[in-house]
Amino acid sequence: MRLRNIIIVTVIVPLFLILLVFSLVAIKSLEDNVRSKLQSEVQIITHTIGASLGYALAQDTPDSLQESLHSAFSFHRIYGAYVFDTEGRKIYGLGLGEELFTPEDIRQVAKNGESTGAYRQQDRWNYYSVLTPLNTPGGETRGVLQVNRLNTGVESYAGFISIVAVVVFAIGAAGIVLTIWWGFRRYIERPLNRLLGVMERVEKGDRGYRAPIRGPEEYRQLSQALNGMLDAMAEKDADIEARQQKEIELEKRLRKSKKLAELGVLAAGVAHEIGAPLTVINGQAQRLARHESLGDSERAKLTRIRNEVDRIVVIVRHLMELGRQHNVDKEACRLSDIIVTAQELLEDELASRQAHLELDLGEPEAVLMANAQQLTQVVTNLLHNALQATPHGRIRLRARCHDGELHVTVEDDGPGIDDADKNRVFDPFFTTKPVGQGSGLGLSVVHRIVNDHGGSIGVFDSELGGAGFDLTLPLENGPQQEIGAQ
């Protein structure tokens, strides 16, 4: 059952029933009081003129009898007065209602010596008539007096008034119920339906919808509370989603780290076995190059052998780095110092390629607990890749601190990385460079170093048009204060 119907059935209807019963009882009491007053008045009038009429009958003086009956009409609304003998025969009378009682009724009153009264109707007129015995001063009953009084408007229409009162009450009650129903629908049900509509829209997925703040103060407060609850739920959902995303990223990092560790162990074993033969090959090529009998062609070939051996040595060193168990020795270091060191290492390459490097390190200067040498290797590797992707182009390095983390992005305006290759750029031996220009281990080493520092790294499409790398590392508040105090 709806709330408005419950209120009408349990509150309004019982209240109206109580009022109806009270009104009917009041009308009935009023009617009884009016009739009781009428009866008392008629009995008083009858008693008053009865004494003089009894004396007139005892003296047998018709003039006194007529005078006493005429005096009865001086009272309000007395319409008939009659004197009968003990046998019910009229002696004298005036007015209306002579035949309201039968001779038998009159003889019974004369015999019993007690008054009687009744409501009687004659010729569409309503009367209250009283029969009272007329006694002589000696106590002998010589006749019966009949006095007729016409009912007043209230007396005549008491029943009609009751019916009209009930009808008016019913109409008024219906009007009040309809008014209450309309007011409930407009000021209670509609605002509640608006709030319910907000909840339904939110339930269906429209999490950004909010209740309008309008209406009575109570509904405004309820709307504000509902909106506050929805905002809190949205914040919680966003927090849960962010945590889930972080957990997903962490799981990806763990899988990749595990994969790199397994590959690193395998690669380290292979590198250890390759190291000794490479040293022999490099030494023998260097010794052969010293012979004076060799021509320029042979010397060039030996030089190429040595260069390729050096390239293999670099690859072996990277493989050894992947498979090694790393205990990062951290210390407080400034990001700006790391960037300056990386610039110095790439100074010649930056100049030869005529690339433009933009630096935006933000304020205040970022300080973190890390291995400065390893992070320098990370930044150097990322800048070196950007230089190779965009010679004579534009490179941008930006850094910002947010929520206890350092975010560093390195972007270029080169050709970028295909979407199909973005999930593989950190895999060992994967490279988009031409054969002979890359080992495919540089970004794997970068990923391993960042992971060892408790951070993360990802790739995205840069606004500059090329590739972008997003590096995130945890900050340490304590060391920042110590360095700032130095």
Side-chain angles (χ1 to χ4, degrees):
M1 185 180 292
R2 305 194 65 134
L3 179 59
R4 65 168 181 266
N5 298 334
I6 293 176
I7 293 177
I8 291 175
V9 171
T10 60
V11 178
I12 305 301
V13 171
L15 178 62
F16 283 157
L17 290 177
I18 293 173
L19 292 176
L20 177 60
V21 172
F22 177 80
S23 300
L24 293 177
V25 170
I27 293 173
K28 181 63 176 175
S29 299
L30 175 62
E31 181 182 353
D32 293 342
N33 184 55
V34 170
R35 290 189 175 186
S36 177
K37 184 178 180 181
L38 171 63
Q39 295 171 9
S40 298
E41 290 178 353
V42 174
Q43 289 174 359
I44 291 173
I45 293 171
T46 304
H47 179 75
T48 300
I49 64 175
S52 61
L53 290 173
Y55 180 79
L57 287 176
Q59 296 297 324
D60 194 15
T61 56
D63 293 337
S64 299
L65 183 66
Q66 294 178 8
E67 183 179 353
S68 296
L69 284 179
H70 280 284
S71 66
F73 289 91
S74 63
F75 294 96
H76 182 60
R77 302 188 72 83
I78 296 298
Y79 275 62
Y82 299 90
V83 176
F84 300 91
D85 61 15
T86 56
E87 297 299 323
R89 294 184 296 269
K90 184 177 76 170
I91 299 174
Y92 186 77
L94 297 172
L96 303 176
E98 178 183 351
E99 299 178 355
L100 292 178
F101 291 95
T102 65
E104 181 61 29
D105 296 330
I106 297 172
R107 287 194 293 269
Q108 190 67 29
V109 170
K111 180 179 179 181
N112 296 333
E114 296 180 356
S115 299
T116 184
Y119 287 94
R120 299 295 172 93
Q121 185 176 8
Q122 186 181 35
D123 298 332
R124 296 181 300 176
W125 293 95
N126 293 318
Y127 300 92
Y128 179 73
S129 183
V130 174
L131 294 178
T132 185
L134 296 176
N135 299 321
T136 64
E140 179 185 1
T141 302
R142 298 290 296 274
V144 175
L145 172 63
Q146 176 182 339
V147 177
N148 304 327
R149 183 178 179 182
L150 188 66
N151 284 354
T152 63
V154 175
E155 297 159 1
S156 301
Y157 298 103
F160 177 74
I161 291 174
S162 300
I163 295 174
V164 171
V166 171
V167 172
V168 171
F169 182 85
I171 295 175
I176 294 175
V177 170
L178 289 176
T179 303
I180 294 174
W181 179 86
W182 178 84
F184 183 91
R185 181 177 178 82
R186 179 178 178 83
Y187 297 106
I188 297 179
E189 187 174 15
R190 286 184 180 177
L192 288 178
N193 287 336
R194 285 199 300 267
L195 297 179
L196 181 60
V198 172
M199 296 179 184
E200 290 176 349
R201 289 188 61 171
V202 172
E203 182 183 7
K204 292 178 180 178
D206 189 1
R207 299 299 179 89
Y209 189 72
R210 294 295 180 267
I213 309 299
R214 66 173 185 264
E217 182 63 25
E218 291 78 4
Y219 286 102
R220 295 171 63 89
Q221 294 177 355
L222 186 59
S223 298
Q224 291 175 349
L226 176 61
N227 292 342
M229 181 186 68
L230 294 176
D231 291 339
M233 292 174 59
E235 292 178 0
K236 292 294 183 181
D237 290 342
D239 183 60
I240 292 174
E241 185 177 357
R243 291 184 180 182
Q244 290 177 344
Q245 189 64 31
K246 287 184 177 180
E247 291 177 357
I248 293 173
E249 293 296 330
L250 179 61
E251 185 178 356
K252 290 181 179 179
R253 287 167 46 194
L254 291 175
R255 286 201 302 264
K256 185 171 286 293
S257 299
K258 183 178 180 181
K259 178 181 178 181
L260 291 177
E262 293 174 351
L263 290 175
V265 173
L266 176 61
V270 175
H272 183 270
E273 297 299 326
I274 292 177
L278 287 177
T279 302
V280 174
I281 293 173
N282 191 33
Q284 292 299 322
Q286 184 177 5
R287 183 175 299 178
L288 287 175
R290 294 173 184 170
H291 290 182
E292 297 179 355
S293 59
L294 293 177
D296 293 338
S297 177
E298 286 78 6
R299 291 183 185 276
K301 293 179 180 179
L302 289 174
T303 300
R304 182 178 179 184
I305 291 173
R306 293 189 62 191
N307 290 337
E308 293 299 325
V309 169
D310 290 340
R311 181 168 174 268
I312 295 174
V313 170
V314 172
I315 295 174
V316 169
R317 185 174 65 251
H318 288 168
L319 290 173
M320 296 290 289
E321 289 290 329
L322 284 177
R324 185 178 303 165
Q325 294 292 332
H326 299 279
N327 294 320
V328 181
D329 295 327
K330 297 182 180 180
E331 60 181 357
C333 55
R334 290 187 177 92
L335 177 63
S336 59
D337 295 338
I338 295 173
I339 302 300
V340 169
T341 303
Q343 276 186 284
E344 292 175 352
L345 293 174
L346 296 172
E347 184 176 0
D348 293 340
E349 189 172 0
L350 284 169
S352 63
R353 294 180 180 271
Q354 298 180 354
H356 178 63
L357 176 62
E358 301 176 6
L359 296 179
D360 181 10
L361 303 184
E363 294 292 341
E365 183 179 0
V367 178
L368 64 161
M369 288 293 293
N371 188 302
Q373 181 180 358
Q374 292 183 4
L375 288 188
T376 301
Q377 182 180 355
V378 169
V379 175
T380 303
N381 200 322
L382 293 176
L383 291 176
H384 177 72
N385 287 346
L387 283 170
Q388 290 184 332
T390 176
H392 311 290
R394 180 184 174 191
I395 301 172
R396 183 170 64 191
L397 187 150
R398 292 190 298 183
R400 292 290 185 272
C401 296
H402 180 66
D403 291 340
E405 293 181 331
L406 172 64
H407 296 269
V408 180
T409 59
V410 179
E411 306 170 71
D412 60 64
D413 60 355
I417 300 175
D418 294 338
D419 292 338
D421 296 334
K422 288 179 181 177
N423 293 329
R424 304 172 57 197
V425 293
F426 299 107
D427 292 344
F429 306 109
F430 177 80
T431 181
T432 59
K433 300 174 182 177
V435 177
Q437 295 187 15
S439 63
L441 294 174
L443 289 178
S444 298
V445 174
V446 168
H447 184 278
R448 189 268 304 164
I449 294 175
V450 173
N451 189 70
D452 289 344
H453 281 76
S456 62
I457 186 171
V459 61
F460 63 94
D461 293 328
S462 171
E463 295 177 355
L464 301 180
F469 288 87
D470 183 12
L471 171 65
T472 302
L473 293 170
L475 287 171
E476 297 289 344
N477 293 328
Q480 291 186 24
Q481 298 173 356
E482 293 177 2
I483 290 181
Q486 293 178 358

